[in-house]
Amino acid sequence: MTERAEPTRVVAQGTFDLLHPGHVQYLREAATFGDELHVIVARCSNITHKDPPIVPGHQRREVVDAIDAVDEAHLGHESDIFVPIERIDPAVIVLGYDQHHDEADVAASLEERGIDCRVERAGPREQQHQDELLSTGRIIDRILERRG
């Protein structure tokens, strides 16, 4: 009997507030790096580099989990962002093209924790239509413009 190789697990992560085509592009591209795509949806308590999300974490996780490219979506850990990464044990972490993380810093943090995986960066989605909104911030700005 031949042994079956473990699937290549890939992790993508982000806030995923007010999901838009840029998010879908990122997750579809991340899925091409392996056999299983696990997505870690950031908890509000871990988002310190921008305004907190509008949508609650459990709802953002549920919507991300519904995307065809995603095998499983997880809520991040309340205090240690590396806990779900350790549990998932990915071969690759794919960062979004505009995420604030530096690939070398992420790789160094993974190495410090004994997590053996490479770090990649996804490319941007090209705007398909002149009025397409590929940023949660721009979506919020448009809502405030029109309804605020």
Side-chain angles (χ1 to χ4, degrees), residues 24 27-28 31 37 63-72:
V24 176
L27 297 176
R28 286 182 175 157
L37 176 60
V63 172
V64 167
D65 201 43
I67 295 173
D68 60 349
V70 176
D71 290 290
E72 190 171 348

Side-chain angles (χ1 to χ4, degrees), residues 96-109:
Y97 92 97
D98 65 347
Q99 288 179 339
H100 70 284
H101 306 292
D102 177 75
E103 292 101 314
D105 290 345
V106 171
S109 294

Side-chain angles (χ1 to χ4, degrees), residues 45-123:
S45 59
N46 293 330
I47 300 167
T48 58
H49 63 286
K50 60 183 177 181
D51 289 335
I54 304 295
V55 178
H58 63 88
Q59 185 176 334
R60 291 181 284 119
R61 191 216 57 82
E62 184 177 338
V63 172
V64 167
D65 201 43
I67 295 173
D68 60 349
V70 176
D71 290 290
E72 190 171 348
H74 314 260
L75 266 179
H77 190 270
E78 287 91 353
S79 60
D80 185 344
I81 63 170
F82 290 99
V83 166
I85 293 170
E86 291 172 333
R87 183 176 41 79
I88 296 164
D89 191 26
V92 185
I93 293 177
V94 181
L95 303 174
Y97 92 97
D98 65 347
Q99 288 179 339
H100 70 284
H101 306 292
D102 177 75
E103 292 101 314
D105 290 345
V106 171
S109 294
L110 292 166
E111 188 175 335
E112 282 175 19
R113 294 185 74 124
I115 302 169
D116 182 24
C117 71
R118 73 182 200 273
V119 179
E120 300 283 347
R121 173 95 46 194

